[in-house]
């Protein structure tokens, strides 16, 4: 039995454990039917031309994780951003860990999707927001909708801001020979509210792990959302991350994606600008080695006039690693005065590394400022020679040039302690101690 058949046959067992009278039941049924019709995406589809899931489909993943996988804080403390005080929502093999978590109800809701889906007090929000922008056409998003039962639910009321940043952490223990996880996040930030969120998926084992995650973010009028994705997993872990963002008038949403690890990572990042004077920012740094593969697919849909979007992705690829960047900007006819910028720059530091990049613009308005571009190259030999002539060893000189290459992405990180952590991760990936912070 292949993975698709196993998932479809397992769905009825999953349904026996949930309330079939709940309104989400019908949503799940429609989702599993869509997945059954479409199955896993293949390289025959243009959007998946350079990323194959065939090897993952041959693995006999466990669908339902065990519920007795307790972790001690000492086992995972290095993955927390302990330099700052933060709220923490922690999951172990897909199961919520109250021991490792720290949530609050101090004027905001930072809790669980399972609670939001089942408790009457959350029903008004769920009815309005759950599964409203997640694509009904994407088969993997549908798969998550069908099977997800846990994740983070974050609700920030009007004019509120949590006292601390929020960390969402998913750990897999390896107690299963192979495990597939389907986490689901719903984040609602009401008018004039603000939130900072850091998300990380981390395997603690060499066993195969496949995470198929979906996050929906709703930013109301004048809301501010900073979302940081830390992807530095082991080489037996694969991640498919589907993020959908709906913005209203004057809202500002920034998503930073730092991809340093994992076997296969696919990031689907979708912005929908449903209002005027909106600002959307997507920035990313990718540093890969070995046979790692990262695929960034971004979409910004400019629906209303007087809005901006900024995309800036940097990639450094070594060994036999492969990268993909496919960024699409759509500007509707009514979306006049749009300012859209997209740039993807890449450095290949190995003859066996490769990158496939495809910036796209679909513009139906005539009064806009839109630009896109991509570069693929190697380190500047003249700059490298200059640094070496000043007494800097070749290895450190190469690292300094690569470090400077990623600098403008890091400069927009608004949590200083997180910037320091990313700084150290980059230095470790480059194999040097740079001795300074950005």
């Amino acid at each position: 039995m292949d993975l698709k058949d196993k998932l479809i046959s397992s769905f009825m067992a999953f349904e026996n454990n949930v309330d079939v009278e709940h309104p989400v039941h019908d949503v799940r049924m429609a989702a599993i039917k869509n997945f059954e019709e479409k199955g896993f995406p293949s390289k025959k589809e243009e959007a998946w031309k350079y990323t194959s899931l065939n090897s993952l489909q041959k693995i006999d993943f466990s669908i339902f994780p065990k519920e007795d996988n307790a972790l001690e804080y000492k086992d995972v403390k290095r993955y927390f951003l302990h330099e700052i005080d933060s709220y923490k929502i922690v999951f172990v093999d897909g199961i919520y860990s109250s021991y490792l978590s720290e949530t609050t109800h101090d004027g905001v809701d930072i809790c669980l999707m399972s609670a939001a889906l089942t408790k009457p007090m959350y029903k008004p929000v769920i009815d309005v927001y759950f599964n409203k922008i997640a694509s009904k056409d994407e088969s993997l998003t549908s798969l998550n909708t069908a099977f997800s039962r846990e994740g983070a639910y974050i609700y920030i009321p009007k004019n509120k801001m949590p006292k601390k940043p929020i960390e969402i952490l998913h750990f897999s223990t390896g107690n299963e020979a192979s495990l597939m996880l389907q986490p689901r996040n719903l984040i609602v930030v009401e008018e004039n509210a603000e939130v900072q969120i850091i998300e990380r998926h981390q395997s603690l084992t060499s066993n195969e792990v496949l995470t198929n995650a979906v996050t929906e973010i709703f930013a109301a009028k004048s809301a501010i959302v900073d979302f940081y994705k830390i992807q530095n997993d082991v080489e037996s872990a694969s991640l498919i991350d589907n993020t959908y963002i709906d913005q209203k008038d004057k809202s500002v949403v920034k998503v930073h994606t730092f991809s340093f690890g994992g076997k296969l990572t696919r990031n689907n990042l979708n912005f929908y600008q449903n209002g005027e004077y909106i600002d959307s920012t997507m920035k990313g740094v990718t540093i890969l080695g070995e046979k790692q593969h990262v695929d960034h697919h971004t979409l910004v849909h400019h629906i209303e006039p007087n809005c901006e979007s900024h995309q800036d992705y940097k990639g450094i690829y070594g060994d036999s690693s492969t990268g993909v960047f496919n960024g699409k900007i759509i500007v509707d006819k009514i979306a006049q005065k749009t300012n859209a910028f997209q740039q993807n720059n890449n450095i290949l530091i190995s003859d066996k590394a490769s990158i496939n990049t495809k910036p796209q613009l679909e513009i139906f308005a005539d009064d806009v400022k839109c630009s896109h571009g991509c570069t693929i190259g190697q380190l500047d030999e003249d700059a490298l020679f200059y640094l070496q002539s000043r007494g800097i060893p070749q290895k450190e000189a190469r690292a300094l040039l690569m470090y400077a290459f990623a600098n403008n992405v890091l400069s927009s990180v608004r949590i200083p302690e997180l910037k320091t952590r990313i700084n150290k991760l980059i230095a470790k990936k480059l194999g040097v101690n740079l001795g300074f912070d950005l």
Side-chain angles (χ1 to χ4, degrees):
M1 182 183 296
D2 64 15
L3 183 57
K4 176 188 173 183
D5 292 338
K6 181 176 182 178
L7 285 163
I8 293 170
S9 63
S10 299
F11 179 73
M12 296 312 298
F14 173 78
E15 280 289 270
N16 289 334
N17 294 320
V18 298
D19 183 6
V20 296
E21 299 299 324
H22 194 281
V24 175
H25 170 72
D26 294 335
V27 175
R28 294 189 191 278
M29 290 299 296
I32 197 64
K33 288 180 180 178
N34 184 61
F35 176 74
E36 185 175 11
E37 291 175 3
K38 297 185 175 181
F40 285 92
S42 72
K43 296 183 73 172
K44 294 180 180 180
E45 301 175 38
E46 182 64 26
W48 290 83
K49 184 176 181 180
Y50 300 107
T51 298
S52 174
L53 301 180
N54 288 341
S55 61
L56 293 175
Q57 294 179 61
K58 297 176 182 178
I59 300 172
D60 185 22
F61 286 105
S62 296
I63 309 301
F64 305 114
K66 300 174 183 176
E67 300 194 14
D68 57 352
N69 299 332
L71 286 177
E72 296 293 328
Y73 177 72
K74 61 181 177 60
D75 299 324
V76 295
K77 66 178 183 179
R78 66 192 181 103
Y79 301 110
F80 290 92
L81 194 63
H82 48 74
E83 296 90 348
I84 61 171
D85 191 15
S86 63
Y87 297 116
K88 300 173 181 66
I89 310 175
V90 182
F91 304 91
V92 179
D93 291 340
I95 308 300
Y96 175 65
S97 171
S98 58
Y99 171 71
L100 295 174
S101 299
E102 178 192 343
T103 59
T104 180
H105 290 278
D106 184 22
V108 300
D109 286 323
I110 303 173
C111 57
L112 306 179
M113 274 298 297
S114 58
L117 291 173
T118 57
K119 293 187 178 181
M121 63 183 291
Y122 299 119
K123 189 175 184 300
V125 177
I126 291 297
D127 288 347
V128 172
Y129 294 107
F130 179 74
N131 209 50
K132 293 303 188 294
I133 51 173
S135 174
K136 309 301 188 296
D137 296 325
E138 290 286 343
S139 62
L140 294 177
T141 298
S142 293
L143 178 62
N144 177 280
T145 301
F147 276 96
S148 62
R149 59 177 178 177
E150 201 56 283
Y153 169 72
I154 299 172
Y155 180 79
I156 313 298
K158 183 177 179 180
N159 300 321
K160 292 286 187 178
M161 178 181 179
K163 296 178 180 178
K164 301 179 285 188
I166 302 168
E167 291 187 77
I168 305 172
L169 299 108
H170 295 267
F171 296 109
S172 53
T173 63
N175 288 353
E176 309 272 1
S178 57
L179 180 63
M180 186 174 188
L181 299 171
Q182 309 272 1
R184 183 76 171 229
N185 301 321
L186 176 60
I187 300 163
V188 180
V189 186
E190 296 287 14
E191 182 177 346
N192 202 39
E194 184 174 350
V195 68
Q196 294 178 325
I197 299 171
I198 305 162
E199 182 185 46
R200 181 165 187 162
H201 300 266
Q202 188 65 48
S203 178
L204 307 175
T205 174
S206 60
N207 291 354
E208 293 279 353
V209 177
L210 171 58
T211 300
N212 178 41
V214 172
T215 298
E216 292 178 283
I217 300 175
F218 294 85
K221 181 179 179 181
S222 300
I224 300 175
V225 180
D226 276 347
F227 201 104
Y228 302 95
K229 297 176 180 290
I230 314 301
Q231 299 171 345
N232 190 33
D233 217 335
V234 299
E235 292 184 19
S236 58
S238 297
L239 170 66
I240 300 169
D241 188 286
N242 308 281
T243 301
Y244 301 90
I245 300 168
D246 178 278
Q247 291 185 249
K248 302 303 183 186
D249 298 274
K250 300 180 181 180
S251 61
V252 178
V253 177
K254 297 180 180 179
V255 177
H256 290 71
T257 305
F258 299 100
S259 302
F260 303 139
K263 179 170 69 173
L264 182 149
T265 302
R266 165 79 176 217
N267 290 303
N268 298 315
L269 181 57
N270 306 275
F271 279 75
Y272 302 97
Q273 295 188 334
N274 291 298
E276 295 191 54
Y277 303 102
I278 289 171
D279 191 344
S280 306
T281 298
M282 290 140 280
K283 293 192 175 185
V285 176
T286 301
I287 305 177
L288 299 185
E290 303 297 334
K291 296 182 179 180
Q292 295 174 312
H293 178 94
V294 169
D295 184 343
H296 296 289
H297 258 64
T298 67
L299 166 67
V300 183
H301 193 165
H302 290 268
I303 302 170
E304 300 288 342
N306 302 304
C307 294
E308 297 186 9
S309 66
H310 306 270
Q311 299 184 58
D312 190 5
Y313 281 76
K314 300 293 182 69
I316 301 173
Y317 301 91
D319 299 322
S320 298
S321 62
T322 57
V324 181
F325 177 82
N326 190 326
K328 180 183 287 188
I329 297 172
I330 301 175
V331 182
D332 285 356
K333 186 175 181 179
I334 194 177
Q336 305 292 342
K337 304 295 182 182
T338 289
N339 182 7
F341 168 83
Q342 181 190 92
Q343 188 69 32
N344 174 229
N345 301 112
N346 304 281
I347 292 178
L348 301 180
I349 57 175
S350 166
D351 293 338
K352 296 181 179 180
S354 63
I355 172 72
N356 297 283
T357 179
K358 183 183 178 182
Q360 294 176 263
L361 295 179
E362 295 183 13
I363 303 173
F364 302 97
D366 52 17
D367 186 8
V368 301
K369 293 181 180 179
C370 296
S371 65
H372 67 169
C374 63
T375 62
I376 302 172
Q378 298 175 326
L379 291 176
D380 187 331
E381 292 297 330
D382 290 338
L384 187 61
F385 176 78
Y386 176 82
L387 291 176
Q388 289 181 268
S389 69
R390 294 300 184 268
I392 300 175
Q394 184 183 45
K395 182 179 179 181
E396 283 72 15
R398 288 170 60 87
L400 282 170
L401 290 177
M402 289 186 282
Y403 200 85
F405 175 72
N407 179 35
N408 64 331
V409 173
L410 279 174
S411 64
S412 59
V413 175
R414 295 206 305 156
I415 304 175
E417 296 83 359
L418 177 62
K419 183 186 292 188
T420 299
R421 175 69 67 91
I422 298 299
N423 197 26
K424 293 178 180 178
L425 287 176
I426 291 177
K428 184 176 181 180
K429 287 290 292 185
L430 298 178
V432 295
N433 181 8
L434 296 177
F436 64 87
D437 294 334
L438 288 175

